[in-house]
Amino acid sequence: MELRVLRYFLAVVREGSITAVAQSLHMTQPTLSKQLMELEDELGKQLFVRGKHRVRLTEAGEFMYRRAQEIVDLADRTRTALRSQDGTIAGDVSIGCGETEGMRVLIHAMKALIADHPHVRFHLYSGNDEDVSARLEKGLVDFGLFVGNTDLSGYDFLRLPVADTWGLVLQQTHPLAQRTHITPDDMRGLALLCSRQTLERNELSGWLGDDFQNLNVVSTHNLIGNAVLMVQEGVGCAVTISGLINTRGTGIVFRPFAPEIRAELVVAWKKHPAFSAPARAFLQYLQSTIAQEAADK
């Protein structure tokens, strides 16, 4: 598979038209069609269903689209990293990020690095720990920010000098909104919205004890945004960590759990990494930022 043809394939998927892409590339439509058909022959799979005016992906094409994006992204990152090895700190740093207010620690390091080396660019990819781990494992990001219980046996990592606090997001009119804290007894019978990660990793099992198996989970999610809308509409109460939601003027409130449950934050990277100069510099700036913020506490 040639990278050039994969780029053509991705462009056709985005445009939905072989003719439009051929025109933008200043090549004939038959020439582009031939190269895409040769890619299909090489893979032994039909990637497109060709309509009169537009094309759409087959199931194999959907799979190939995701993989082609990863292949081209990794090739571009490798090229940029090699070009940055001439002593100049310039190029890209990619970070996979879990949702957390602790991201500010990384942002402080990013800001300092950009101030000293303005040709460094950052690319952030937000998702849950599973998404971040997958990108890190495939080499699509240099670093991953993880929240809570995470298996880090395959990584090197730094612990951040901050931690998140678990709690409950609920409507202001909910009886529990009048409380300052939520206890395990308060959770009995509540309609709960939980992230799949929280349930799979038993984040609340120690806090709830035997009641963990009896939680009334009415919906699961991977990111908190849509769960907040469900709380506002009265579907249930969302289990989440502090700092993710601006509750001002939204009709919802956050109440922490008591006894307190804290989620540690770590920045991880693959062991024995082939870091580019910008990624290596970012790690140094992050270490200095962590040390400074820990000293300020």
Side-chain angles (χ1 to χ4, degrees):
M1 292 181 289
E2 295 184 38
L3 283 174
R4 172 178 53 82
V5 177
L6 291 182
R7 293 186 195 277
Y8 294 165
F9 168 72
L10 292 173
V12 170
V13 175
R14 286 192 293 268
E15 292 292 332
S17 167
I18 295 176
T19 301
V21 172
Q23 290 173 347
S24 69
L25 295 172
H26 305 291
M27 61 192 303
T28 65
Q29 188 270 344
T31 299
L32 179 56
S33 291
K34 182 174 183 295
Q35 296 196 40
L36 294 175
M37 291 175 65
E38 288 174 350
L39 176 62
E40 290 177 315
D41 289 342
E42 180 181 356
L43 297 172
K45 294 288 184 180
Q46 182 180 352
L47 302 178
F48 294 109
V49 176
R50 292 159 173 81
K52 187 173 182 180
H53 300 292
R54 295 186 66 81
V55 298
R56 61 181 178 84
L57 290 174
T58 63
E59 183 176 346
E62 293 280 1
F63 175 81
M64 186 60 195
Y65 177 64
R66 293 191 296 271
R67 285 300 171 89
Q69 285 181 306
E70 293 176 354
I71 292 168
V72 170
D73 188 16
L74 186 56
D76 289 342
R77 281 170 33 76
T78 302
R79 184 181 298 109
T80 300
L82 289 171
R83 287 175 176 172
S84 71
Q85 293 180 356
D86 59 359
T88 304
I89 299 180
D92 302 328
V93 180
S94 299
I95 305 173
C97 316
E99 289 187 312
T100 168
E101 183 72 9
M103 181 65 192
R104 291 186 186 276
V105 178
L106 278 71
I107 293 171
H108 294 162
M110 293 162 60
K111 182 179 178 181
L113 178 55
I114 291 171
D116 292 341
H117 304 282
H119 297 296
V120 172
R121 295 173 299 179
F122 286 91
H123 304 280
L124 305 182
Y125 301 89
S126 296
N128 60 17
D129 280 9
E130 182 179 329
D131 301 327
V132 173
S133 181
R135 295 193 73 88
L136 191 59
E137 195 61 36
K138 293 175 182 178
L140 299 176
V141 295
D142 299 302
F143 303 94
L145 174 59
F146 294 96
V147 182
N149 299 331
T150 304
D151 181 8
L152 298 172
S153 57
Y155 304 112
D156 289 326
F157 59 90
L158 289 171
R159 296 192 186 278
L160 300 190
V162 294
D164 288 325
T165 301
W166 284 97
L168 204 62
V169 173
L170 56 164
Q171 289 182 318
Q172 284 181 332
T173 56
H174 196 286
L176 291 177
Q178 309 309 312
R179 306 276 189 88
T180 58
H181 294 82
I182 304 297
T183 68
D185 286 343
D186 295 329
M187 301 286 281
R188 291 175 182 165
L190 287 181
L192 297 176
L193 318 174
C194 291
S195 73
R196 286 183 285 277
Q197 176 181 308
T198 300
L199 296 175
E200 290 167 359
R201 297 184 179 177
N202 299 332
E203 301 271 10
L204 306 181
S205 59
W207 183 71
L208 284 167
D210 293 340
D211 287 339
F212 179 75
Q213 301 300 326
N214 299 319
L215 288 178
N216 178 28
V217 178
V218 300
S219 178
T220 64
H221 53 270
N222 64 331
L223 298 176
I224 192 63
N226 286 332
V228 169
L229 299 180
M230 296 175 74
V231 173
Q232 291 174 323
E233 294 298 327
V235 176
C237 306
V239 176
T240 187
I241 55 179
S242 59
L244 293 186
I245 305 162
N246 181 6
T247 59
R248 185 175 301 174
T250 61
I252 60 176
V253 295
F254 175 84
R255 295 291 180 261
F257 291 146
E260 183 182 57
I261 311 178
R262 291 170 65 81
E264 286 194 333
L265 307 176
V266 297
V267 175
W269 58 95
K270 294 180 75 172
K271 291 185 176 181
H272 314 298
F275 274 154
S276 64
R280 192 178 305 109
F282 173 71
L283 181 56
Q284 294 169 350
Y285 275 68
L286 181 59
Q287 289 169 326
S288 297
T289 300
I290 290 174
Q292 183 61 54
E293 297 200 8
D296 291 342
K297 284 187 170 292

